[in-house]
Short mmCIF file of all heavy atoms in Angstrom, two decimals:
data_model
loop_
_atom_site.label_atom_id
_atom_site.label_comp_id
_atom_site.label_asym_id
_atom_site.label_seq_id
_atom_site.Cartn_x
_atom_site.Cartn_y
_atom_site.Cartn_z
N VAL Y 263 -21.79 -19.95 2.12
CA VAL Y 263 -21.85 -21.41 2.48
C VAL Y 263 -20.42 -21.92 2.22
O VAL Y 263 -19.73 -21.45 1.29
CB VAL Y 263 -22.93 -22.11 1.66
CG1 VAL Y 263 -22.65 -22.07 0.19
CG2 VAL Y 263 -22.97 -23.69 2.08
N SER Y 264 -20.00 -22.87 3.09
CA SER Y 264 -18.75 -23.45 2.88
C SER Y 264 -18.92 -25.01 3.09
O SER Y 264 -19.46 -25.40 4.13
CB SER Y 264 -17.65 -22.93 3.90
OG SER Y 264 -16.56 -23.66 3.87
N VAL Y 265 -18.42 -25.83 2.16
CA VAL Y 265 -18.56 -27.12 2.25
C VAL Y 265 -17.20 -27.81 2.56
O VAL Y 265 -16.29 -27.61 1.77
CB VAL Y 265 -19.07 -27.81 0.95
CG1 VAL Y 265 -19.21 -29.33 1.00
CG2 VAL Y 265 -20.44 -27.13 0.61
N ASP Y 266 -17.03 -28.55 3.56
CA ASP Y 266 -15.76 -29.14 4.00
C ASP Y 266 -15.85 -30.69 3.57
O ASP Y 266 -16.76 -31.38 4.13
CB ASP Y 266 -15.65 -29.05 5.59
CG ASP Y 266 -14.35 -29.60 6.10
OD1 ASP Y 266 -13.62 -30.26 5.23
OD2 ASP Y 266 -14.04 -29.38 7.25
N LYS Y 267 -15.00 -31.01 2.77
CA LYS Y 267 -14.98 -32.39 2.25
C LYS Y 267 -13.98 -33.35 2.97
O LYS Y 267 -13.72 -34.37 2.56
CB LYS Y 267 -14.62 -32.44 0.81
CG LYS Y 267 -15.65 -31.79 -0.16
CD LYS Y 267 -16.96 -32.62 -0.17
CE LYS Y 267 -17.93 -32.06 -1.26
NZ LYS Y 267 -19.09 -32.84 -1.31
N SER Y 268 -13.58 -32.96 4.21
CA SER Y 268 -12.68 -33.76 4.95
C SER Y 268 -13.24 -35.16 5.27
O SER Y 268 -14.30 -35.21 5.76
CB SER Y 268 -12.29 -33.05 6.27
OG SER Y 268 -11.68 -31.83 6.14
N ARG Y 269 -12.47 -36.16 4.81
CA ARG Y 269 -12.94 -37.56 4.95
C ARG Y 269 -13.26 -37.87 6.38
O ARG Y 269 -12.38 -37.82 7.21
CB ARG Y 269 -11.98 -38.52 4.30
CG ARG Y 269 -12.44 -40.00 4.22
CD ARG Y 269 -11.40 -40.81 3.46
NE ARG Y 269 -11.44 -40.40 2.04
CZ ARG Y 269 -12.15 -41.09 1.07
NH1 ARG Y 269 -13.02 -42.03 1.48
NH2 ARG Y 269 -12.15 -40.74 -0.18
N GLY Y 270 -14.48 -38.32 6.63
CA GLY Y 270 -14.88 -38.66 8.03
C GLY Y 270 -15.43 -37.50 8.79
O GLY Y 270 -15.92 -37.74 9.85
N PHE Y 271 -15.19 -36.26 8.24
CA PHE Y 271 -15.57 -35.15 9.01
C PHE Y 271 -16.29 -34.14 8.10
O PHE Y 271 -16.10 -32.92 8.20
CB PHE Y 271 -14.41 -34.46 9.75
CG PHE Y 271 -13.73 -35.34 10.74
CD1 PHE Y 271 -12.61 -36.00 10.43
CD2 PHE Y 271 -14.33 -35.49 12.03
CE1 PHE Y 271 -11.98 -36.85 11.37
CE2 PHE Y 271 -13.66 -36.28 12.88
CZ PHE Y 271 -12.56 -37.01 12.58
N GLU Y 272 -17.13 -34.63 7.13
CA GLU Y 272 -17.67 -33.82 6.20
C GLU Y 272 -18.65 -32.87 6.86
O GLU Y 272 -19.49 -33.27 7.75
CB GLU Y 272 -18.49 -34.67 5.10
CG GLU Y 272 -17.52 -35.46 4.23
CD GLU Y 272 -17.15 -36.79 4.85
OE1 GLU Y 272 -17.43 -37.08 6.09
OE2 GLU Y 272 -16.54 -37.60 4.14
N ARG Y 273 -18.62 -31.56 6.58
CA ARG Y 273 -19.49 -30.56 7.16
C ARG Y 273 -19.82 -29.51 6.20
O ARG Y 273 -19.08 -29.16 5.32
CB ARG Y 273 -18.84 -29.92 8.39
CG ARG Y 273 -18.43 -30.93 9.55
CD ARG Y 273 -17.86 -30.04 10.67
NE ARG Y 273 -17.43 -30.88 11.79
CZ ARG Y 273 -16.37 -31.44 12.05
NH1 ARG Y 273 -15.21 -31.25 11.13
NH2 ARG Y 273 -15.98 -32.19 13.03
N THR Y 274 -21.05 -28.85 6.42
CA THR Y 274 -21.42 -27.63 5.66
C THR Y 274 -21.78 -26.64 6.60
O THR Y 274 -22.58 -26.89 7.62
CB THR Y 274 -22.65 -28.02 4.79
OG1 THR Y 274 -22.24 -29.10 3.74
CG2 THR Y 274 -23.19 -26.72 4.14
N VAL Y 275 -21.23 -25.47 6.41
CA VAL Y 275 -21.45 -24.31 7.36
C VAL Y 275 -22.09 -23.19 6.48
O VAL Y 275 -21.56 -22.78 5.52
CB VAL Y 275 -20.14 -23.85 8.04
CG1 VAL Y 275 -20.47 -22.58 8.94
CG2 VAL Y 275 -19.62 -24.92 8.85
N PHE Y 276 -23.24 -22.65 7.04
CA PHE Y 276 -23.81 -21.44 6.36
C PHE Y 276 -23.45 -20.29 7.38
O PHE Y 276 -23.33 -20.43 8.54
CB PHE Y 276 -25.32 -21.58 6.31
CG PHE Y 276 -25.82 -22.66 5.46
CD1 PHE Y 276 -26.18 -23.92 5.93
CD2 PHE Y 276 -25.84 -22.49 4.00
CE1 PHE Y 276 -26.58 -24.90 5.07
CE2 PHE Y 276 -26.30 -23.48 3.20
CZ PHE Y 276 -26.67 -24.67 3.68
N SER Y 277 -23.29 -19.05 6.75
CA SER Y 277 -22.83 -17.89 7.48
C SER Y 277 -23.64 -16.63 7.04
O SER Y 277 -24.00 -16.55 5.88
CB SER Y 277 -21.40 -17.68 7.30
OG SER Y 277 -20.60 -18.79 7.79
N ARG Y 278 -23.84 -15.85 8.03
CA ARG Y 278 -24.31 -14.39 7.71
C ARG Y 278 -23.26 -13.31 8.23
O ARG Y 278 -22.95 -13.38 9.37
CB ARG Y 278 -25.65 -14.13 8.49
CG ARG Y 278 -26.87 -14.75 7.87
CD ARG Y 278 -28.09 -14.45 8.72
NE ARG Y 278 -28.16 -13.17 9.03
CZ ARG Y 278 -28.85 -12.55 10.11
NH1 ARG Y 278 -29.35 -13.40 11.02
NH2 ARG Y 278 -28.98 -11.22 10.23
N ALA Y 279 -22.66 -12.62 7.33
CA ALA Y 279 -21.72 -11.61 7.73
C ALA Y 279 -22.52 -10.36 8.08
O ALA Y 279 -23.11 -9.77 7.28
CB ALA Y 279 -20.81 -11.28 6.54
N LEU Y 280 -22.61 -10.07 9.42
CA LEU Y 280 -23.43 -9.04 9.91
C LEU Y 280 -22.87 -7.68 9.58
O LEU Y 280 -23.51 -6.72 9.29
CB LEU Y 280 -23.61 -9.13 11.41
CG LEU Y 280 -24.10 -10.54 11.88
CD1 LEU Y 280 -24.20 -10.48 13.43
CD2 LEU Y 280 -25.46 -10.86 11.20
N ASP Y 281 -21.57 -7.64 9.67
CA ASP Y 281 -20.77 -6.54 9.07
C ASP Y 281 -19.44 -7.08 8.76
O ASP Y 281 -19.29 -8.32 8.63
CB ASP Y 281 -20.71 -5.31 10.11
CG ASP Y 281 -19.98 -5.67 11.40
OD1 ASP Y 281 -19.13 -6.56 11.37
OD2 ASP Y 281 -20.28 -5.08 12.38
N PHE Y 282 -18.44 -6.27 8.47
CA PHE Y 282 -17.18 -6.66 7.96
C PHE Y 282 -16.41 -7.55 9.04
O PHE Y 282 -15.57 -8.38 8.61
CB PHE Y 282 -16.22 -5.53 7.63
CG PHE Y 282 -15.29 -5.80 6.56
CD1 PHE Y 282 -15.73 -5.69 5.25
CD2 PHE Y 282 -13.98 -6.14 6.88
CE1 PHE Y 282 -14.72 -5.92 4.21
CE2 PHE Y 282 -13.07 -6.39 5.86
CZ PHE Y 282 -13.45 -6.34 4.55
N TYR Y 283 -16.70 -7.43 10.26
CA TYR Y 283 -15.93 -8.14 11.37
C TYR Y 283 -16.80 -9.01 12.26
O TYR Y 283 -16.34 -9.63 13.18
CB TYR Y 283 -15.19 -7.06 12.21
CG TYR Y 283 -14.36 -6.13 11.29
CD1 TYR Y 283 -14.68 -4.91 11.11
CD2 TYR Y 283 -13.16 -6.65 10.75
CE1 TYR Y 283 -13.90 -4.08 10.37
CE2 TYR Y 283 -12.45 -5.83 9.94
CZ TYR Y 283 -12.75 -4.49 9.82
OH TYR Y 283 -11.98 -3.77 8.95
N ASN Y 284 -18.06 -9.10 11.90
CA ASN Y 284 -18.98 -9.93 12.80
C ASN Y 284 -19.79 -10.86 11.94
O ASN Y 284 -20.48 -10.39 10.94
CB ASN Y 284 -19.81 -9.00 13.68
CG ASN Y 284 -19.03 -8.31 14.82
OD1 ASN Y 284 -18.99 -8.83 15.80
ND2 ASN Y 284 -18.67 -7.09 14.41
N THR Y 285 -19.71 -12.13 12.22
CA THR Y 285 -20.46 -13.15 11.50
C THR Y 285 -21.09 -14.22 12.31
O THR Y 285 -20.52 -14.56 13.45
CB THR Y 285 -19.42 -13.89 10.54
OG1 THR Y 285 -18.75 -12.93 9.76
CG2 THR Y 285 -20.09 -14.92 9.62
N ARG Y 286 -22.25 -14.67 11.94
CA ARG Y 286 -22.93 -15.73 12.66
C ARG Y 286 -22.85 -16.97 11.74
O ARG Y 286 -22.99 -16.94 10.47
CB ARG Y 286 -24.40 -15.41 12.95
CG ARG Y 286 -24.57 -14.45 13.98
CD ARG Y 286 -25.93 -14.16 14.36
NE ARG Y 286 -26.03 -13.10 15.45
CZ ARG Y 286 -27.03 -12.26 15.52
NH1 ARG Y 286 -28.01 -12.18 14.56
NH2 ARG Y 286 -27.02 -11.32 16.54
N HIS Y 287 -22.68 -18.23 12.42
CA HIS Y 287 -22.52 -19.45 11.68
C HIS Y 287 -23.49 -20.51 12.10
O HIS Y 287 -23.86 -20.59 13.26
CB HIS Y 287 -21.15 -19.91 11.89
CG HIS Y 287 -19.95 -18.97 11.65
ND1 HIS Y 287 -19.45 -18.77 10.38
CD2 HIS Y 287 -19.32 -18.17 12.43
CE1 HIS Y 287 -18.58 -17.83 10.43
NE2 HIS Y 287 -18.46 -17.43 11.66
N TRP Y 288 -23.95 -21.32 11.12
CA TRP Y 288 -24.83 -22.48 11.28
C TRP Y 288 -24.30 -23.73 10.76
O TRP Y 288 -23.83 -23.66 9.58
CB TRP Y 288 -26.16 -22.13 10.75
CG TRP Y 288 -26.97 -21.13 11.47
CD1 TRP Y 288 -27.99 -21.34 12.38
CD2 TRP Y 288 -26.90 -19.74 11.33
NE1 TRP Y 288 -28.53 -20.18 12.85
CE2 TRP Y 288 -27.96 -19.13 12.22
CE3 TRP Y 288 -26.09 -18.89 10.57
CZ2 TRP Y 288 -28.06 -17.78 12.31
CZ3 TRP Y 288 -26.33 -17.50 10.73
CH2 TRP Y 288 -27.26 -17.01 11.56
N LEU Y 289 -24.27 -24.73 11.51
CA LEU Y 289 -23.77 -26.08 11.04
C LEU Y 289 -24.88 -26.96 10.56
O LEU Y 289 -25.87 -27.15 11.30
CB LEU Y 289 -23.03 -26.79 12.19
CG LEU Y 289 -22.46 -28.15 11.88
CD1 LEU Y 289 -21.36 -28.00 10.75
CD2 LEU Y 289 -21.80 -28.67 13.12
N LEU Y 290 -24.89 -27.37 9.29
CA LEU Y 290 -25.92 -28.23 8.78
C LEU Y 290 -25.92 -29.56 9.45
O LEU Y 290 -24.82 -30.28 9.51
CB LEU Y 290 -25.66 -28.43 7.28
CG LEU Y 290 -26.81 -29.25 6.50
CD1 LEU Y 290 -28.17 -28.47 6.55
CD2 LEU Y 290 -26.35 -29.49 5.00
N GLN Y 291 -27.01 -30.05 9.95
CA GLN Y 291 -27.21 -31.25 10.64
C GLN Y 291 -27.62 -32.42 9.67
O GLN Y 291 -28.21 -32.11 8.55
CB GLN Y 291 -28.22 -31.17 11.74
CG GLN Y 291 -27.75 -30.16 12.76
CD GLN Y 291 -26.54 -30.49 13.55
OE1 GLN Y 291 -26.52 -31.41 14.37
NE2 GLN Y 291 -25.45 -29.85 13.21
N PRO Y 292 -27.36 -33.68 10.05
CA PRO Y 292 -27.76 -34.77 9.17
C PRO Y 292 -29.30 -34.82 8.82
O PRO Y 292 -29.69 -35.24 7.75
CB PRO Y 292 -27.48 -36.02 10.00
CG PRO Y 292 -26.39 -35.60 10.91
CD PRO Y 292 -26.67 -34.16 11.26
N ASP Y 293 -30.15 -34.27 9.71
CA ASP Y 293 -31.58 -34.17 9.45
C ASP Y 293 -31.99 -32.98 8.71
O ASP Y 293 -33.16 -32.74 8.34
CB ASP Y 293 -32.38 -34.18 10.74
CG ASP Y 293 -32.04 -33.03 11.67
OD1 ASP Y 293 -31.33 -32.12 11.24
OD2 ASP Y 293 -32.62 -32.93 12.83
N GLY Y 294 -30.96 -32.23 8.18
CA GLY Y 294 -31.26 -31.02 7.32
C GLY Y 294 -31.51 -29.77 8.09
O GLY Y 294 -31.56 -28.67 7.53
N LYS Y 295 -31.55 -29.86 9.36
CA LYS Y 295 -31.65 -28.60 10.27
C LYS Y 295 -30.28 -27.88 10.32
O LYS Y 295 -29.31 -28.49 10.19
CB LYS Y 295 -32.22 -28.96 11.64
CG LYS Y 295 -33.67 -29.52 11.62
CD LYS Y 295 -34.20 -29.88 13.00
CE LYS Y 295 -35.62 -30.41 13.01
NZ LYS Y 295 -36.06 -30.80 14.32
N GLN Y 296 -30.42 -26.70 10.70
CA GLN Y 296 -29.17 -25.83 10.84
C GLN Y 296 -29.00 -25.46 12.39
O GLN Y 296 -29.76 -24.85 12.93
CB GLN Y 296 -29.24 -24.58 10.02
CG GLN Y 296 -29.35 -25.01 8.50
CD GLN Y 296 -29.75 -23.82 7.66
OE1 GLN Y 296 -29.77 -22.63 8.05
NE2 GLN Y 296 -30.02 -24.10 6.39
N LEU Y 297 -27.87 -25.93 12.89
CA LEU Y 297 -27.54 -25.67 14.31
C LEU Y 297 -26.70 -24.46 14.50
O LEU Y 297 -25.55 -24.39 13.80
CB LEU Y 297 -26.79 -26.89 14.96
CG LEU Y 297 -26.29 -26.61 16.36
CD1 LEU Y 297 -27.49 -26.56 17.36
CD2 LEU Y 297 -25.49 -27.90 16.71
#
Side-chain angles (χ1 to χ4, degrees):
V263 61
S264 175
V265 180
D266 183 353
K267 294 289 186 181
S268 297
R269 184 172 290 269
F271 298 99
E272 294 84 355
R273 298 184 178 97
T274 297
V275 177
F276 297 99
S277 303
R278 284 177 51 205
L280 308 181
D281 62 28
F282 208 84
Y283 305 108
N284 290 273
T285 305
R286 289 182 179 145
H287 306 277
W288 287 262
L289 181 64
L290 182 64
Q291 300 296 287
D293 61 3
K295 295 182 180 179
Q296 296 166 11
L297 176 66

